[in-house]
Amino acid sequence: MTPVDELTAIELRDRIAAGQISSVEATQAALDRISRLDSTIGAFLVVFGDRALQVARDVDRRIATRQPVGPLAGVPLAVKDVMCTSFGATTCGSRMLQDFHCPSDATVIRKLLAADAVILGKTNMDEFAMGSSTETSGLRRTVNPWDRSRVPGGSSGGSAAAVAARLCSAALGSDTGGSIRQPASFCGVVGLKPTYGRVSRYGLVAYGSSLDQIGPLTQTVADAAILMNVIAGHDPADSTSVNEQVAPVDNYLQKLDEPVEGLRVGVTPSFNAGAEPAVQQAVNSAIDIYRGAGAEIVEIDMPHLDYAIAAYYVIATAEASSNLARYDGVHYGYRTPDPQDYIEVYTKSREEAFGKEVKRRIMLGTYALSSGYYDAYYLKALKVRNLIRGDFVRAFEQCDAICMPVAPTTAFRIGEKVDDPLKMYLSDIYTIAVNLAGIPGISVPCGFDDAGLPIGLQILTPAFSEAKLLRVARMYEARTDWHTRRPAIGG
Ligand code: GLN
């Protein structure tokens, strides 16, 4: 029998429901593995051992007495520490929020708990989700389980590393410009960024509010589907979450194994040419798999994608500079211990608690929004965003799904890019346009480079077509076994 920490969320759920193992056993196994391995991986910022076991006991009792339970009953999961929880701190990987205790749960947390999931703990991340390597975390270093000298990707690096190291069966992350898909790619797991508005952002600490989305990081496409079933939907508390009459929420598991008939896959060879040869090769082989499955391969033209990074780093920093104004030493979080006057409450609190990258972005964003520069930068970036959105609309007239790399490289070395922000930003080239356009995207494991590091295939479909996206991803997964490979981390 498969050891308990190798099981997917659905497998665990089914075995717990069938009484083959208890939720307490599954939860204890995860907690044991975390205490054995996480001192080297560094995926978790906090682990709620007692609380998790208490929830697990309650689920076991309800199963034993044949009371109704939710679709994730007893399954141990992790969440990125950017989602507010009424238990434990919500730090966002920042010293600013190190001791911040939120009075209520984010909508996604409420939904996970209502589905009877067991929340094991909260995972590390780049500070305020700003970064692509989890190195900007002010609290902890996370390493890639495939090679501990390398980054796990970011900003949801803790969640991706936790799933890759099987410290939990699945996790939630958030994605503003690639932060679910890129760490999924670097760690060899599945990561889905839903359409903007599909999942409530209520209780998600804001970075770029017009770009942020919460989504799953999992071992399989089916697990991403079941998590979407739980977290998707309209939320009156988030006015940007979409009305279900306009865009109904599907049952993402229902037709998951049915291949998409007459599938047309759009490809962007000239855009992909910027990726490392091993990445290009893996993506091309993946496209061949679709061809072999009967799909038609269509070359598409996306003329504005080259401008995505420039537009994103104006828009995201502009929004961030506004969102982070609330950390003033008064409303939330850290306050400098000995201010001379009230001005120092603001300036010293921000100076002492924010890291370098966060300060850089606040400065960039403030500059882009300042009078005189607003038109030249922010407004111009919004226009480019519109052109990029148009590229996708036109592309999806010719194809059902687009396949491209997730990142130009595999996981890079710790320290390799962190002091060169431009280099770090350029690594987001394949993921960022997707957030600007608001469409859904998934990363699925599609191979390894010569150093044995995982590579992800990115698949994109039109807004609110997550059901199709997951089916297209499943077509690939069903024909390959990359997703079954595990890093050799011992224990
Ligand atoms: N790497 C991108 C950034 O630093 C995206 C981060 C994210 O998706 N949260 O902004």
Side-chain angles (χ1 to χ4, degrees):
M1 206 154 105
T2 326
V4 59
D5 38 44
E6 301 274 306
L7 297 174
T8 67
I10 291 180
E11 286 168 348
L12 268 176
R13 191 266 319 255
D14 291 347
R15 289 193 194 188
I16 291 168
Q20 290 165 358
I21 48 169
S22 67
S23 174
V24 167
E25 282 165 341
T27 304
Q28 190 61 58
L31 292 171
D32 289 348
R33 199 165 161 85
I34 293 169
S35 62
R36 217 166 48 238
L37 297 172
D38 205 40
S39 51
T40 45
I41 304 288
F44 283 88
L45 289 174
V46 61
V47 176
F48 306 122
D50 291 344
R51 193 185 181 282
L53 286 168
Q54 191 188 324
V55 173
R57 266 193 297 276
D58 178 58
V59 172
D60 284 339
R61 184 185 51 78
R62 282 191 287 139
I63 290 174
T65 54
R66 302 202 184 288
Q67 292 176 54
V69 288
L72 289 172
V75 178
L77 303 175
V79 296
K80 182 179 181 180
D81 204 16
V82 67
M83 291 162 233
C84 288
T85 46
S86 57
F87 42 94
T90 298
T91 69
C92 262
S94 181
R95 299 209 342 244
M96 180 58 90
L97 291 179
Q98 200 160 5
D99 298 313
F100 171 63
H101 288 256
C102 187
S104 57
D105 291 317
T107 297
V108 288
I109 300 291
R110 207 171 36 72
K111 287 187 168 197
L112 284 184
L113 295 174
D116 291 316
V118 175
I119 298 179
L120 289 168
K122 300 181 84 178
T123 55
N124 198 17
M125 54 184 284
D126 281 301
E127 186 174 10
F128 287 101
M130 298 173 187
S132 312
S133 66
T134 311
E135 290 169 290
T136 74
S137 170
L139 304 179
R140 197 173 190 187
R141 166 178 287 191
T142 305
V143 302
N144 191 311
W146 293 88
D147 176 346
R148 293 176 196 178
S149 68
R150 297 188 184 255
V151 302
S155 63
S156 311
S159 286
V163 176
R166 306 299 187 253
L167 305 181
C168 55
S169 62
L172 290 186
S174 67
D175 191 313
T176 305
S179 279
I180 291 173
R181 291 157 287 154
Q182 185 256 26
S185 168
F186 280 13
C187 289
V189 300
V190 174
L192 170 70
K193 181 203 94 78
T195 310
Y196 185 77
R198 182 76 300 171
V199 176
S200 169
R201 292 184 298 112
Y202 181 74
L204 169 71
V205 179
Y207 162 20
S209 309
S210 77
L211 304 154
D212 300 337
Q213 267 294 284
I214 294 170
L217 289 118
T218 57
Q219 301 168 50
T220 60
V221 174
D223 275 5
I226 193 169
L227 275 167
M228 282 302 291
N229 279 352
V230 169
I231 64 173
H234 176 65
D235 177 8
D238 172 6
S239 60
T240 63
S241 76
V242 168
N243 186 326
E244 288 170 36
Q245 258 126 37
V246 177
V249 174
D250 296 285
N251 177 346
Y252 300 105
L253 274 174
Q254 204 166 40
K255 293 187 185 161
L256 187 66
D257 285 312
E258 278 178 36
V260 177
E261 288 291 325
L263 177 67
R264 294 165 306 163
V265 173
V267 295
T268 52
S270 56
F271 190 47
N272 300 1
E276 260 174 18
V279 172
Q280 287 190 53
Q281 237 167 50
V283 169
N284 289 340
S285 308
I287 291 163
D288 284 340
I289 298 271
Y290 282 110
R291 194 180 281 114
E296 182 192 343
I297 311 298
V298 196
E299 206 166 304
I300 50 168
D301 187 26
M302 309 278 285
H304 301 99
L305 290 194
D306 288 341
Y307 306 101
I309 289 193
Y312 170 89
Y313 277 97
V314 171
I315 294 168
T317 57
E319 293 184 13
S321 73
S322 160
N323 277 325
L324 270 62
R326 72 190 64 165
Y327 306 108
D328 55 5
V330 180
H331 291 92
Y332 298 90
Y334 178 83
R335 176 183 298 188
T336 188
D338 198 14
Q340 297 308 300
D341 53 31
Y342 77 94
I343 295 288
E344 273 197 15
V345 174
Y346 303 144
T347 54
K348 285 204 160 170
S349 298
R350 286 165 74 82
E351 183 192 322
E352 289 162 14
F354 282 143
K356 237 166 63 182
E357 186 59 27
V358 170
K359 287 177 185 158
R360 180 180 295 123
R361 296 194 185 203
I362 292 172
M363 286 189 283
L364 276 172
T366 307
Y367 181 81
L369 288 177
S370 58
S371 84
Y373 293 107
Y374 179 94
D375 288 357
Y377 294 102
Y378 185 64
L379 209 59
K380 186 68 132 285
L382 290 184
K383 290 177 182 169
V384 174
R385 180 178 195 170
N386 218 29
L387 292 171
I388 289 170
R389 206 178 271 148
D391 276 4
F392 281 107
V393 169
R394 269 187 306 281
F396 287 128
E397 285 165 5
Q398 296 172 56
C399 64
D400 305 289
I402 298 172
C403 282
M404 63 167 70
V406 177
T409 66
T410 52
F412 42 87
R413 289 194 187 284
I414 292 170
E416 192 179 321
K417 298 190 184 181
V418 73
D419 295 321
D420 186 345
L422 209 55
K423 213 161 152 195
M424 189 74 92
Y425 299 171
L426 288 171
S427 71
D428 298 331
I429 177 77
Y430 294 111
T431 47
I432 253 167
V434 174
N435 301 71
L436 291 171
I439 62 170
I442 194 167
S443 172
V444 286
C446 76
F448 291 85
D449 70 4
D450 288 344
L453 298 167
I455 301 172
L457 168 71
Q458 183 171 219
I459 311 168
L460 313 172
T461 57
F464 300 107
S465 64
E466 280 83 354
K468 189 196 258 179
L469 178 64
L470 287 158
R471 280 171 69 194
V472 175
R474 177 63 195 146
M475 281 173 73
Y476 177 77
E477 186 189 62
R479 288 165 173 78
T480 54
D481 66 358
W482 304 115
H483 62 286
T484 63
R485 311 285 177 93
R486 285 156 174 57
I489 40 170

